[in-house]
Coordinates of all heavy atoms in Angstrom, one line a residue:
M1 N 0.6 -15.0 -7.6 CA 0.5 -14.5 -6.1 C 1.8 -14.9 -5.4 O 2.3 -16.0 -5.5 CB -0.7 -15.3 -5.5 CG -0.9 -15.0 -4.1 SD -2.1 -13.7 -3.8 CE -2.5 -14.1 -2.1
E2 N 2.4 -13.9 -4.7 CA 3.6 -14.1 -4.0 C 3.5 -15.0 -2.8 O 2.5 -14.8 -2.0 CB 4.2 -12.8 -3.6 CG 5.3 -12.4 -4.6 CD 5.6 -10.9 -4.6 OE1 5.0 -10.1 -3.8 OE2 6.3 -10.4 -5.5
K3 N 4.4 -15.9 -2.6 CA 4.4 -16.7 -1.4 C 4.8 -15.9 -0.2 O 5.6 -15.1 -0.2 CB 5.4 -17.8 -1.6 CG 4.9 -19.2 -1.0 CD 6.1 -20.1 -0.8 CE 6.8 -20.4 -2.1 NZ 8.0 -21.2 -1.9
N4 N 4.1 -16.2 0.9 CA 4.4 -15.5 2.2 C 5.0 -16.5 3.1 O 4.4 -17.5 3.5 CB 3.2 -14.9 2.8 CG 3.5 -14.0 4.0 OD1 4.2 -14.4 4.9 ND2 3.0 -12.8 4.0
T5 N 6.3 -16.3 3.4 CA 7.0 -17.4 4.2 C 6.9 -17.3 5.7 O 7.1 -18.2 6.4 CB 8.6 -17.3 3.9 OG1 8.9 -15.9 4.0 CG2 8.9 -17.8 2.5
S6 N 6.5 -16.1 6.2 CA 6.5 -16.0 7.6 C 5.1 -16.0 8.3 O 4.8 -16.8 9.1 CB 7.2 -14.7 8.0 OG 7.1 -13.7 7.1
S7 N 4.2 -15.1 7.9 CA 2.9 -15.1 8.4 C 2.0 -14.3 7.5 O 2.5 -13.7 6.5 CB 2.9 -14.4 9.8 OG 3.1 -13.0 9.6
N8 N 0.7 -14.2 7.8 CA -0.2 -13.4 7.0 C -0.4 -12.1 7.6 O -1.1 -11.3 7.0 CB -1.5 -14.1 6.9 CG -1.3 -15.5 6.2 OD1 -0.6 -15.6 5.2 ND2 -2.0 -16.5 6.7
E9 N 0.3 -11.8 8.7 CA 0.1 -10.6 9.4 C 0.6 -9.4 8.7 O 1.6 -9.5 7.9 CB 0.7 -10.6 10.8 CG -0.1 -11.4 11.8 CD 0.7 -11.9 12.9 OE1 1.8 -11.4 13.2 OE2 0.2 -12.9 13.6
Y10 N 0.0 -8.3 8.9 CA 0.4 -7.0 8.3 C 0.9 -6.1 9.4 O 0.6 -6.3 10.5 CB -0.8 -6.3 7.7 CG -1.4 -7.0 6.4 CD1 -2.2 -8.1 6.5 CD2 -1.0 -6.5 5.2 CE1 -2.7 -8.7 5.4 CE2 -1.5 -7.1 4.0 CZ -2.4 -8.2 4.1 OH -2.9 -8.8 3.0
I11 N 1.8 -5.2 9.0 CA 2.1 -4.1 9.9 C 1.6 -2.8 9.3 O 1.5 -2.7 8.1 CB 3.6 -4.0 10.2 CG1 4.4 -3.5 9.0 CG2 4.2 -5.4 10.6 CD1 5.8 -3.0 9.5
V12 N 1.2 -2.0 10.2 CA 0.6 -0.7 9.7 C 1.6 0.4 10.2 O 2.0 0.5 11.3 CB -0.8 -0.5 10.4 CG1 -1.4 0.9 9.9 CG2 -1.7 -1.6 10.1
I13 N 1.9 1.3 9.2 CA 2.8 2.4 9.5 C 2.1 3.7 9.1 O 1.6 3.9 8.0 CB 4.1 2.3 8.6 CG1 4.8 0.9 8.8 CG2 5.0 3.5 8.8 CD1 5.1 0.2 7.6
K14 N 2.0 4.6 10.1 CA 1.3 5.8 9.9 C 2.4 7.0 10.1 O 2.9 7.1 11.2 CB 0.1 6.0 10.8 CG -0.6 7.3 10.5 CD -1.9 7.5 11.3 CE -2.6 8.7 10.8 NZ -3.8 8.9 11.6
A15 N 2.6 7.7 9.0 CA 3.7 8.8 9.1 C 3.2 9.9 10.0 O 2.0 10.4 9.8 CB 4.0 9.3 7.7
Q16 N 4.1 10.4 10.9 CA 3.7 11.5 11.7 C 4.4 12.8 11.3 O 4.3 13.8 11.9 CB 4.2 11.2 13.2 CG 3.6 9.9 13.8 CD 2.1 10.0 13.9 OE1 1.3 9.4 13.3 NE2 1.6 10.9 14.8
E17 N 5.1 12.7 10.2 CA 5.8 13.8 9.6 C 6.0 13.5 8.1 O 5.8 12.4 7.6 CB 7.2 14.1 10.2 CG 8.2 13.0 10.0 CD 9.6 13.3 10.6 OE1 9.8 14.5 10.8 OE2 10.4 12.4 10.7
D18 N 6.3 14.5 7.3 CA 6.6 14.3 5.9 C 7.9 13.6 5.7 O 8.8 13.7 6.5 CB 6.7 15.7 5.1 CG 5.3 16.4 5.0 OD1 4.3 15.7 5.3 OD2 5.3 17.5 4.5
G19 N 8.0 12.8 4.7 CA 9.3 12.2 4.3 C 9.7 11.0 5.1 O 10.9 10.7 5.1
V20 N 8.7 10.3 5.7 CA 9.1 9.0 6.4 C 9.4 8.0 5.3 O 8.7 7.8 4.3 CB 7.9 8.6 7.3 CG1 8.1 7.2 7.8 CG2 7.7 9.5 8.4
S21 N 10.5 7.2 5.5 CA 10.8 6.1 4.6 C 10.5 4.8 5.2 O 10.8 4.5 6.3 CB 12.3 6.1 4.3 OG 12.7 7.3 3.7
V22 N 9.9 3.9 4.4 CA 9.6 2.5 4.7 C 10.5 1.7 3.8 O 10.3 1.8 2.5 CB 8.1 2.2 4.6 CG1 7.9 0.7 4.9 CG2 7.2 3.1 5.4
I23 N 11.4 1.0 4.3 CA 12.5 0.4 3.5 C 12.4 -1.1 3.7 O 12.4 -1.6 4.8 CB 13.9 0.9 3.9 CG1 14.0 2.4 3.7 CG2 14.9 0.1 3.1 CD1 15.1 3.0 4.5
G24 N 12.2 -1.8 2.6 CA 12.1 -3.3 2.6 C 13.5 -3.9 2.4 O 14.2 -3.5 1.5
L25 N 13.9 -4.8 3.3 CA 15.2 -5.5 3.2 C 15.0 -7.0 2.7 O 14.0 -7.6 3.2 CB 15.9 -5.5 4.5 CG 16.5 -4.1 4.9 CD1 15.5 -3.4 5.7 CD2 17.8 -4.2 5.6
T26 N 15.9 -7.4 1.9 CA 15.7 -8.7 1.3 C 15.9 -9.9 2.2 O 16.6 -9.8 3.2 CB 16.8 -8.9 0.1 OG1 18.1 -8.7 0.7 CG2 16.5 -8.0 -1.0
R27 N 15.2 -10.9 1.9 CA 15.3 -12.2 2.7 C 16.5 -13.0 2.1 O 16.8 -12.9 0.9 CB 14.0 -13.0 2.5 CG 14.0 -14.3 3.4 CD 12.6 -14.9 3.3 NE 11.5 -14.1 3.8 CZ 11.3 -13.9 5.1 NH1 12.0 -14.5 6.1 NH2 10.2 -13.2 5.5
G28 N 17.2 -13.8 2.9 CA 18.3 -14.7 2.5 C 19.6 -14.2 2.9 O 19.7 -13.3 3.7
S29 N 20.7 -14.8 2.3 CA 22.0 -14.5 2.8 C 22.5 -13.1 2.4 O 23.3 -12.6 3.1 CB 23.0 -15.6 2.2 OG 22.8 -15.6 0.8
D30 N 21.9 -12.5 1.4 CA 22.3 -11.2 1.0 C 21.2 -10.2 1.5 O 20.1 -10.2 1.0 CB 22.4 -11.2 -0.5 CG 22.6 -9.8 -1.1 OD1 23.3 -9.0 -0.4 OD2 22.1 -9.5 -2.2
T31 N 21.6 -9.4 2.5 CA 20.6 -8.5 3.1 C 20.8 -7.1 2.6 O 21.8 -6.5 2.9 CB 20.7 -8.5 4.6 OG1 20.6 -9.8 5.1 CG2 19.6 -7.7 5.3
R32 N 19.9 -6.6 1.7 CA 20.0 -5.3 1.2 C 18.7 -4.7 1.0 O 17.6 -5.4 1.1 CB 20.8 -5.4 -0.2 CG 20.1 -6.3 -1.1 CD 20.7 -6.4 -2.5 NE 20.1 -7.4 -3.3 CZ 18.9 -7.3 -3.9 NH1 18.2 -6.1 -3.8 NH2 18.3 -8.3 -4.5
F33 N 18.7 -3.4 0.8 CA 17.4 -2.6 0.5 C 16.9 -3.1 -0.8 O 17.6 -3.2 -1.8 CB 17.7 -1.1 0.4 CG 18.0 -0.5 1.7 CD1 18.3 -1.2 2.9 CD2 18.1 0.9 1.8 CE1 18.6 -0.6 4.1 CE2 18.4 1.6 3.0 CZ 18.7 0.8 4.1
H34 N 15.6 -3.3 -0.9 CA 15.0 -3.6 -2.3 C 13.9 -2.7 -2.6 O 13.5 -2.5 -3.8 CB 14.6 -5.1 -2.4 CG 13.4 -5.4 -1.5 ND1 12.1 -4.9 -1.8 CD2 13.3 -6.2 -0.4 CE1 11.3 -5.4 -0.9 NE2 12.0 -6.1 0.0
H35 N 13.4 -1.9 -1.6 CA 12.3 -1.0 -1.9 C 12.3 0.1 -0.9 O 12.4 -0.2 0.3 CB 11.0 -1.7 -2.0 CG 9.9 -0.8 -2.4 ND1 9.5 -0.7 -3.7 CD2 9.1 0.0 -1.7 CE1 8.5 0.2 -3.8 NE2 8.2 0.6 -2.6
S36 N 12.1 1.3 -1.3 CA 12.0 2.4 -0.4 C 10.7 3.2 -0.8 O 10.6 3.6 -1.9 CB 13.2 3.3 -0.4 OG 13.0 4.3 0.5
E37 N 9.9 3.4 0.2 CA 8.6 4.1 0.0 C 8.6 5.3 0.9 O 8.9 5.2 2.0 CB 7.5 3.1 0.3 CG 6.1 3.5 -0.1 CD 5.9 3.4 -1.6 OE1 6.5 2.6 -2.3 OE2 5.1 4.2 -2.1
K38 N 8.3 6.5 0.3 CA 8.2 7.7 1.1 C 6.7 8.0 1.4 O 5.9 7.9 0.6 CB 8.7 8.9 0.3 CG 10.2 8.9 0.2 CD 10.9 9.7 1.2 CE 12.4 9.9 0.9 NZ 13.2 10.1 2.1
L39 N 6.5 8.3 2.7 CA 5.2 8.6 3.2 C 5.2 10.1 3.7 O 6.2 10.5 4.4 CB 4.7 7.7 4.3 CG 4.7 6.2 4.1 CD1 4.2 5.6 5.4 CD2 3.8 5.9 2.9
D40 N 4.2 10.8 3.4 CA 4.0 12.2 4.0 C 3.1 12.1 5.2 O 2.4 11.1 5.4 CB 3.5 13.1 2.9 CG 4.6 13.6 2.0 OD1 5.7 13.5 2.4 OD2 4.2 14.1 0.9
E41 N 3.1 13.1 6.0 CA 2.4 13.1 7.3 C 0.9 12.7 7.0 O 0.2 13.2 6.1 CB 2.4 14.5 7.9 CG 1.7 14.5 9.2 CD 2.0 15.9 10.0 OE1 2.7 16.7 9.5 OE2 1.3 16.0 11.0
G42 N 0.5 11.7 7.9 CA -0.9 11.2 7.8 C -1.1 10.1 6.8 O -2.1 9.4 6.9
E43 N -0.1 9.8 6.0 CA -0.2 8.7 5.1 C 0.1 7.4 5.8 O 0.9 7.3 6.7 CB 0.7 8.8 3.9 CG 0.3 10.0 2.9 CD 1.2 10.0 1.7 OE1 2.4 9.8 1.7 OE2 0.6 10.4 0.6
V44 N -0.6 6.4 5.3 CA -0.5 5.0 5.9 C 0.0 4.0 4.9 O -0.4 4.1 3.8 CB -1.9 4.6 6.5 CG1 -1.9 3.2 6.9 CG2 -2.3 5.5 7.6
M45 N 0.9 3.1 5.4 CA 1.3 2.0 4.5 C 1.0 0.7 5.3 O 1.3 0.7 6.5 CB 2.7 2.1 4.1 CG 3.2 0.9 3.2 SD 4.7 1.3 2.4 CE 5.2 -0.3 1.8
I46 N 0.4 -0.2 4.7 CA 0.1 -1.5 5.3 C 0.9 -2.5 4.5 O 0.9 -2.6 3.3 CB -1.4 -1.8 5.2 CG1 -2.2 -0.7 5.8 CG2 -1.7 -3.2 5.8 CD1 -3.7 -0.7 5.4
A47 N 1.8 -3.3 5.3 CA 2.8 -4.1 4.6 C 2.9 -5.5 5.3 O 2.6 -5.6 6.5 CB 4.1 -3.4 4.5
Q48 N 3.4 -6.4 4.5 CA 3.6 -7.8 5.1 C 5.1 -8.1 4.9 O 5.8 -7.6 4.1 CB 2.8 -8.8 4.3 CG 1.4 -8.9 4.6 CD 0.7 -9.9 3.7 OE1 0.7 -9.8 2.5 NE2 0.1 -10.9 4.3
F49 N 5.5 -9.1 5.7 CA 6.8 -9.8 5.4 C 6.5 -10.9 4.4 O 5.5 -11.6 4.5 CB 7.3 -10.4 6.7 CG 7.7 -9.3 7.7 CD1 6.8 -8.9 8.7 CD2 9.0 -8.7 7.6 CE1 7.2 -7.8 9.5 CE2 9.3 -7.7 8.5 CZ 8.4 -7.2 9.4
T50 N 7.3 -11.0 3.4 CA 7.1 -11.9 2.3 C 8.3 -12.8 2.0 O 9.3 -12.7 2.6 CB 6.7 -11.1 1.0 OG1 7.9 -10.4 0.6 CG2 5.6 -10.1 1.3
E51 N 8.1 -13.5 0.9 CA 9.3 -14.3 0.4 C 10.5 -13.4 0.1 O 11.6 -13.8 0.2 CB 8.7 -15.0 -0.9 CG 9.7 -15.8 -1.6 CD 9.1 -16.3 -2.9 OE1 8.0 -15.9 -3.4 OE2 9.7 -17.2 -3.6
H52 N 10.2 -12.2 -0.3 CA 11.3 -11.2 -0.7 C 11.7 -10.3 0.4 O 12.8 -9.7 0.4 CB 10.8 -10.4 -1.9 CG 10.3 -11.2 -3.0 ND1 11.2 -12.0 -3.7 CD2 9.1 -11.4 -3.6 CE1 10.5 -12.7 -4.7 NE2 9.3 -12.3 -4.6
T53 N 10.8 -10.1 1.4 CA 11.1 -9.1 2.5 C 11.2 -9.8 3.9 O 10.2 -10.4 4.3 CB 9.9 -8.1 2.5 OG1 9.8 -7.5 1.2 CG2 10.2 -7.0 3.5
S54 N 12.3 -9.7 4.5 CA 12.5 -10.3 5.8 C 12.5 -9.2 6.9 O 12.4 -9.6 8.1 CB 13.7 -11.2 5.9 OG 14.9 -10.4 5.8
A55 N 12.8 -8.0 6.5 CA 12.9 -6.9 7.6 C 12.4 -5.6 6.9 O 12.5 -5.5 5.7 CB 14.4 -6.8 8.0
I56 N 11.9 -4.8 7.8 CA 11.4 -3.5 7.3 C 12.1 -2.4 8.2 O 12.0 -2.5 9.5 CB 9.9 -3.4 7.4 CG1 9.3 -4.5 6.5 CG2 9.4 -2.1 7.0 CD1 7.8 -4.7 6.7
K57 N 12.7 -1.5 7.6 CA 13.3 -0.4 8.4 C 12.5 0.9 8.1 O 12.1 1.2 7.0 CB 14.7 -0.2 7.9 CG 15.4 1.1 8.4 CD 16.9 1.1 8.0 CE 17.5 2.4 8.4 NZ 18.9 2.4 8.2
I58 N 12.2 1.6 9.2 CA 11.5 2.9 9.1 C 12.3 4.0 9.6 O 12.8 4.0 10.7 CB 10.1 2.7 9.9 CG1 9.3 1.7 9.2 CG2 9.4 4.1 9.9 CD1 8.4 0.9 10.1
R59 N 12.4 5.0 8.7 CA 13.2 6.2 9.1 C 12.2 7.4 9.2 O 11.5 7.6 8.3 CB 14.2 6.6 8.0 CG 15.4 5.6 7.9 CD 16.4 6.2 6.9 NE 17.0 7.3 7.5 CZ 18.4 7.5 7.5 NH1 19.1 6.7 6.9 NH2 18.9 8.6 8.0
G60 N 12.4 8.1 10.3 CA 11.5 9.3 10.5 C 10.4 9.0 11.5 O 10.4 7.8 12.1
H61 N 9.6 9.9 11.8 CA 8.6 9.8 12.9 C 7.3 9.1 12.4 O 6.6 9.7 11.5 CB 8.3 11.2 13.4 CG 7.5 11.2 14.7 ND1 6.9 12.3 15.1 CD2 7.1 10.2 15.5 CE1 6.2 12.0 16.2 NE2 6.3 10.7 16.5
A62 N 7.1 8.0 12.9 CA 5.9 7.2 12.5 C 5.4 6.4 13.7 O 6.1 6.0 14.6 CB 6.3 6.3 11.3
K63 N 4.1 6.0 13.6 CA 3.5 5.1 14.5 C 3.4 3.8 13.8 O 2.9 3.7 12.6 CB 2.1 5.6 14.9 CG 2.2 6.7 15.9 CD 0.8 7.1 16.4 CE 1.0 8.2 17.5 NZ -0.2 9.0 17.6
I64 N 3.8 2.7 14.4 CA 3.9 1.4 13.8 C 3.0 0.4 14.7 O 3.3 0.3 15.9 CB 5.3 0.9 13.7 CG1 6.2 1.9 12.9 CG2 5.4 -0.5 13.1 CD1 7.5 2.1 13.4
S65 N 2.1 -0.2 14.1 CA 1.2 -1.2 14.8 C 1.5 -2.6 14.3 O 1.6 -2.8 13.0 CB -0.3 -0.9 14.6 OG -0.6 0.4 15.0
T66 N 1.8 -3.5 15.2 CA 2.1 -4.9 14.8 C 1.3 -5.8 15.7 O 0.7 -5.3 16.7 CB 3.6 -5.2 14.9 OG1 3.9 -5.4 16.3 CG2 4.5 -4.2 14.3
A67 N 1.3 -7.1 15.4 CA 0.7 -8.1 16.3 C 1.3 -8.1 17.6 O 0.8 -8.6 18.6 CB 0.8 -9.4 15.6
Y68 N 2.6 -7.6 17.7 CA 3.3 -7.6 19.0 C 3.1 -6.3 19.8 O 3.6 -6.2 20.9 CB 4.8 -7.8 18.7 CG 5.1 -9.0 17.8 CD1 5.3 -8.8 16.5 CD2 5.0 -10.2 18.4 CE1 5.5 -9.9 15.7 CE2 5.2 -11.3 17.5 CZ 5.4 -11.1 16.2 OH 5.6 -12.2 15.4
G69 N 2.4 -5.4 19.2 CA 2.2 -4.1 19.9 C 2.4 -2.9 19.1 O 2.6 -3.1 17.9
E70 N 2.4 -1.8 19.7 CA 2.6 -0.5 19.0 C 4.0 0.1 19.4 O 4.4 0.0 20.5 CB 1.5 0.5 19.4 CG 0.2 -0.1 19.2 CD -0.8 0.8 18.6 OE1 -0.6 2.1 18.7 OE2 -1.8 0.4 18.0
V71 N 4.6 0.7 18.4 CA 5.9 1.4 18.7 C 5.9 2.6 17.9 O 5.2 2.7 16.9 CB 7.0 0.4 18.4 CG1 7.2 0.1 16.9 CG2 8.3 0.9 19.0
E72 N 6.7 3.6 18.3 CA 6.8 4.9 17.6 C 8.2 5.1 17.2 O 9.1 5.0 18.1 CB 6.2 6.0 18.5 CG 5.9 7.2 17.7 CD 5.0 8.2 18.5 OE1 4.3 7.8 19.5 OE2 5.1 9.4 18.2
S73 N 8.5 5.3 16.0 CA 9.8 5.6 15.6 C 10.0 7.1 15.7 O 9.0 7.9 15.6 CB 10.1 5.2 14.1 OG 9.2 5.8 13.3
E74 N 11.2 7.5 16.0 CA 11.4 9.0 16.2 C 12.3 9.6 15.2 O 13.1 8.8 14.6 CB 12.1 9.1 17.6 CG 11.1 8.9 18.8 CD 11.9 8.6 20.1 OE1 12.9 9.3 20.3 OE2 11.4 7.7 20.8
K75 N 12.2 10.8 15.0 CA 13.1 11.5 14.1 C 14.4 11.8 14.7 O 14.5 11.9 16.0 CB 12.5 12.7 13.4 CG 12.4 13.9 14.3 CD 12.0 15.1 13.4 CE 11.7 16.3 14.2 NZ 10.9 17.3 13.4
K76 N 15.5 11.7 14.0 CA 16.8 12.0 14.4 C 16.9 13.4 15.0 O 16.4 14.3 14.4 CB 17.8 11.8 13.3 CG 19.2 11.5 13.6 CD 20.0 11.3 12.4 CE 21.4 11.5 12.6 NZ 22.2 11.4 11.3
S77 N 17.5 13.5 16.2 CA 17.5 14.9 16.8 C 18.9 15.5 16.6 O 19.9 14.8 16.3 CB 17.2 14.8 18.3 OG 17.9 13.8 18.9
Ligands
LIG1 N1 7.5 -6.8 -3.6 C1 7.7 -6.6 -2.2 C2 7.5 -8.0 -1.5 O1 6.6 -8.7 -1.9 C3 6.8 -5.6 -1.6 C4 6.8 -5.5 -0.2 C5 6.2 -6.3 0.7 C6 7.5 -4.5 0.6 N2 6.4 -5.9 2.0 C7 7.2 -4.8 2.0 C8 8.3 -3.3 0.3 C9 7.7 -3.9 3.0 C10 8.8 -2.5 1.3 C11 8.5 -2.8 2.7 O2 8.3 -8.4 -0.6

C-alpha cells in the first residue's frame, strides 16, 4: 500500500471534452511528469496526492472538485 504524505482527500476530475490530460508531477527536488492519463468527454478520474505525486496538472476543459472548492479548467483558445 502506498504511503500518502499529504492527506487522504481525493480530487475529482470530470472531462468536458475529449482528450483531457491529467498529469501527475513527482514529489521532491526533481519535479517532472510521471504519469499522463487521457480522459474523453464525460469520463471521470478520482485521484489523490501521494508519496509520488505532489502536483496534478490538467490540460483541456474539465470540472475539478476538491476540498477547497470547484474549479473549471478551460481549453486553450
Ligand atoms: N502511482 C501514482 C501515485 O501513487 C498514481 C497517481 C496518484 C497519479 N495520483 C495521481 C497519477 C494523479 C496521475 C495524477 O502517485
Side-chain angles (χ1 to χ4, degrees):
M1 179 96 157
E2 260 158 7
K3 218 197 302 175
N4 187 312
T5 48
S6 33
S7 75
N8 298 316
E9 281 157 19
Y10 290 82
I11 73 161
V12 180
I13 302 127
K14 183 172 185 184
Q16 303 296 113
E17 63 175 344
D18 287 352
V20 170
S21 298
V22 179
I23 301 159
L25 289 94
T26 55
R27 188 175 295 283
S29 52
D30 174 34
T31 306
R32 57 178 173 75
F33 290 8
H34 68 72
H35 184 91
S36 179
E37 193 70 30
K38 285 266 188 206
L39 302 181
D40 281 338
E41 186 171 353
E43 290 186 324
V44 169
M45 182 165 167
I46 302 164
Q48 281 177 304
F49 293 93
T50 69
E51 182 184 9
H52 304 294
T53 304
S54 66
I56 300 170
K57 173 174 172 172
I58 293 150
R59 288 188 73 133
H61 187 194
K63 286 185 175 154
I64 302 143
S65 304
T66 75
Y68 308 102
E70 308 220 338
V71 69
E72 199 164 334
S73 59
E74 288 162 40
K75 74 171 172 195
K76 202 172 155 185
S77 48

